[in-house]
Amino acid sequence: MLGVEIGVSTLEQVRKQAAASGAVKNGGTNTWSEGPTLEVPGSSYEIQGLNSVLYIFTPDEKLTAVVMTMQNHRFDEIFDVLAGKYKMVKKERPFVGNNFAKFSAPDSIIELDAPHLSFEMQVRYMSSGFSKAWRDGLQSQRQQKRNNDKSSF
């Protein structure tokens, strides 16, 4: 996947590789991994419909996640590619509504997420540890928002 490997590639390796093909921007510190991030425009890669790529690292600068933002119309094509390479864990493909698929690979999770009425979708490659931290963090944020809403009434 883009010439990098979750849990193996380092910040410097990814920075050098991405800089060879285009602009690289430091994206600050990721909330869930507490490590640095790199943002690369999709035009730096030869992938049709790729808008941007976000590389997320651990504090010790190992790659823990890659988030590719793409044009939504490629969902079926990307789904077929991922289904041919990885074990499917979950699939939601209604006629109308959000499209979602989850695949597993050794020590990582791949998600394809295309919200209904959005022009963009995300392809997320994540280490199992990052995926858990991200999901737990999102759940905590939602609970905090509900609690704030309750106290407002």
Side-chain angles (χ1 to χ4, degrees):
M1 166 239 358
L2 301 178
V4 298
E5 190 175 343
I6 300 291
V8 176
S9 298
T10 66
L11 176 66
E12 269 318 299
Q13 289 171 333
V14 173
R15 185 188 313 274
K16 285 179 186 175
Q17 179 182 341
S21 58
V24 177
K25 178 181 166 190
N26 289 326
T29 302
N30 182 269
T31 302
W32 317 119
S33 74
E34 299 179 349
T37 63
L38 295 176
E39 299 173 5
V40 181
S43 59
S44 298
Y45 301 93
E46 294 181 11
I47 299 175
Q48 177 189 3
L50 181 62
N51 298 337
S52 65
V53 179
L54 177 66
Y55 295 96
I56 303 171
F57 299 87
T58 60
D60 64 347
E61 300 185 346
K62 291 285 187 187
L63 185 63
T64 193
V66 177
V67 179
M68 302 167 64
T69 303
M70 304 184 73
Q71 295 173 5
N72 203 356
H73 72 275
R74 298 216 43 217
F75 184 90
D76 291 330
E77 181 183 354
I78 303 300
F79 175 87
D80 290 342
V81 169
L82 293 174
K85 292 177 79 173
Y86 303 106
K87 178 183 177 195
M88 188 178 320
V89 176
K90 184 176 183 179
K91 173 175 78 168
E92 296 172 8
R93 295 182 70 189
F95 182 70
V96 175
N98 298 337
N99 284 302
F100 179 83
K102 183 175 184 177
F103 303 89
S104 67
D107 300 321
S108 60
I109 294 166
I110 300 102
E111 293 181 345
L112 182 57
D113 188 7
H116 183 59
L117 299 179
S118 175
F119 294 108
E120 293 185 327
M121 68 177 182
Q122 288 187 339
V123 181
R124 298 184 288 259
Y125 290 81
M126 305 174 285
S127 68
S128 299
F130 178 83
S131 177
K132 181 176 177 4
W134 179 58
R135 295 253 179 247
D136 290 349
L138 289 178
Q139 184 176 359
S140 177
Q141 280 182 340
R142 283 191 292 267
Q143 184 61 45
Q144 182 64 40
K145 184 176 179 341
R146 281 192 293 270
N147 290 344
N148 290 344
D149 288 348
K150 283 181 185 179
S151 67
S152 296
F153 287 100

